[in-house]
Amino acid sequence: FICQGYDDKKIRYLQKIYWLVLEWVLYYKQELDYANDEGKCTSVLYMYKDITSDINIYQENRDILYGELTSYGYEVIKPSGAFYLFVKALGNSSNDFSEFAKKYELLLVPSDSFGYKGFVRISYCVSKEQIINSLPQFKKLYDDFKKGVNYE
């Protein structure tokens, strides 16, 4: 579920980044002694300052995922700028919950090391179709946990 596949807009964005890096490498190939010259590097980067990705795709994915998960009963922290949600793990351990979710074909990252103890992180930088297809599994996971299915 996490970051599988790329849509056309993301591919075009990555292609622009590739050409930026390639141009930068070719620019410095002739002047390796000056590779640390911040002025030159800044001027190359400045040429591409207006290149951005269409974040509306991610906002839509966030809103779908946030809305559905909260409607199922999950406790979710809604982000304002990140590409992932922090969801309260069901049970006592985010590690155990993450492992249990794999049985539902959901890859969730325990967030203890990110400063959110007891939460898991769910990325939504995937296609809208993947978000929608994952929702029944999130619902089943929540329902099974509430029925007392033990994952330990």
Side-chain angles (χ1 to χ4, degrees):
F1 173 73
I2 297 178
C3 290
Q4 297 173 357
Y6 294 99
D7 57 33
D8 289 341
K9 290 181 181 181
K10 188 181 285 185
I11 290 171
R12 285 194 300 277
Y13 179 71
L14 292 174
Q15 287 172 332
K16 290 176 184 178
I17 297 297
Y18 168 80
W19 287 111
L20 166 66
V21 171
L22 182 61
E23 185 172 337
W24 185 82
V25 168
L26 292 175
Y27 182 80
Y28 282 110
K29 185 176 180 184
Q30 298 172 1
E31 302 180 40
L32 291 176
D33 292 339
Y34 303 103
N36 292 325
D37 184 346
E38 290 182 23
K40 290 180 183 177
C41 182
T42 302
S43 66
V44 171
L45 293 175
Y46 183 78
M47 293 183 326
Y48 294 93
K49 68 179 176 31
D50 295 323
I51 296 175
T52 61
S53 181
D54 181 7
I55 62 169
N56 292 325
I57 296 165
Y58 306 116
Q59 289 173 342
E60 183 178 6
N61 285 350
R62 177 202 62 197
D63 293 343
I64 292 169
L65 198 54
Y66 177 82
E68 292 299 314
L69 293 181
T70 55
S71 76
Y72 301 156
Y74 288 97
E75 181 182 334
V76 182
I77 298 173
K78 187 175 185 180
S80 59
F83 300 113
Y84 42 81
L85 298 171
F86 284 104
V87 177
K88 180 78 172 149
L90 302 176
N92 297 324
S93 167
S94 60
N95 289 314
D96 291 343
F97 180 63
S98 295
E99 283 300 312
F100 184 65
K102 289 178 184 177
K103 295 177 183 176
Y104 296 81
E105 298 184 16
L106 299 169
L107 299 177
L108 313 177
V109 179
S111 298
D112 294 4
S113 60
F114 300 113
Y116 289 98
K117 188 171 176 64
F119 283 77
V120 294
R121 192 172 79 169
I122 303 172
S123 176
Y124 53 83
C125 58
V126 296
S127 70
K128 181 179 175 181
E129 179 183 30
Q130 287 174 293
I131 297 290
I132 291 169
N133 290 341
S134 72
L135 295 175
Q137 293 304 100
F138 278 109
K139 175 75 168 131
K140 183 167 176 32
L141 172 61
Y142 187 85
D143 290 346
D144 285 353
F145 182 81
K146 290 302 177 184
K147 288 180 196 172
V149 174
N150 192 347
Y151 61 80
E152 297 174 2

